[in-house]
Amino acid sequence: MTKFLLVLHVLVAIIAIGPVTVAASMFPPGARRALADPGDPRATETVRLLHRICRVYAAIGIAVPVLGFATALSMGVLDDAWLVASMVLTGIAAAVLLALVLPRQEEILEAVESAGTVEAVESAGTVEAVEAAGSPSLPTSPPPSASPSVSVPVGADPRATVRLAMFTGIFNLLWATVTILMIVRPGSTTGA
């Protein structure tokens, strides 16, 4: 049973955590491209897809610590220092992902989508021209350039993508450390 749990734990870690780390790392540069060219629907779709990958695989990733705990229980290593450190780092990584990475991705995605909408309105000339063309999903207020009181959304600030990249890097370093601890298992008496 231990080997079966270990295989499941490793497979779910590869299948769930791998895509999150890659998609989260690709998100900030993709968002910068989308914010730089709001009229590019492909850039917006890329950012939207990367965020969706992060959300979905983060939810699937919940199985990784659950299976890891079950594996450690069956191996009798729950009190080993390397495992305790791995569990703490996994908890921190999950907190970084849920509290710092995903919410900032959502803010930036909203800014990218609203910038694309504003770009479409401005390129059409007027809101009425866009509505006449049959695009009811666009806002019915004048574009932000017509009103000096409109502020830049938080996610549209280029520094937001830099901060997101930093939090993503922290998340990835935490997972890399957990992976190393799982492979090396310093001080383990179960053999490496």
Side-chain angles (χ1 to χ4, degrees):
M1 185 64 154
T2 299
K3 288 184 182 184
F4 176 73
L5 288 172
L6 182 59
V7 167
L8 279 179
H9 172 63
V10 171
L11 283 175
V12 172
I14 291 169
I15 292 168
I17 305 304
V20 172
T21 58
V22 172
S25 296
M26 292 173 65
F27 188 95
R32 282 190 286 276
R33 276 190 299 279
L35 288 168
D37 186 7
D40 183 3
R42 185 172 180 180
T44 301
E45 280 302 315
T46 299
V47 172
R48 191 177 294 125
L49 175 65
L50 290 171
H51 178 61
R52 189 176 319 127
I53 289 169
C54 290
R55 270 193 351 253
V56 169
Y57 282 94
I60 295 169
I62 293 170
V64 175
V66 171
L67 289 167
F69 186 80
T71 303
L73 189 62
S74 71
M75 291 174 69
V77 293
L78 276 177
D79 58 349
D80 285 8
W82 64 271
L83 186 67
V84 172
S86 293
M87 289 190 293
V88 168
L89 291 174
T90 297
I92 295 170
V96 167
L97 181 64
L98 296 175
L100 301 173
V101 174
L102 293 177
R104 280 173 176 74
Q105 282 185 352
E106 289 172 14
E107 288 174 0
I108 292 171
L109 179 58
E110 288 172 6
V112 165
E113 289 173 338
S114 67
T117 301
V118 168
E119 174 79 11
V121 169
E122 288 175 350
S123 67
T126 64
V127 174
E128 291 78 21
V130 173
E131 289 173 344
S135 183
S137 63
L138 296 175
T140 57
S141 60
S145 60
S147 172
S149 65
V150 175
S151 63
V152 175
V154 174
D157 180 5
R159 293 176 295 186
T161 60
V162 173
R163 283 189 297 274
L164 175 61
M166 177 190 66
F167 293 132
T168 300
I170 292 169
F171 169 75
N172 290 343
L173 284 173
L174 288 166
W175 274 116
T177 304
V178 169
T179 302
I180 291 167
L181 285 171
M182 291 290 152
I183 293 168
V184 175
R185 302 186 318 187
S188 174
T189 58
T190 60

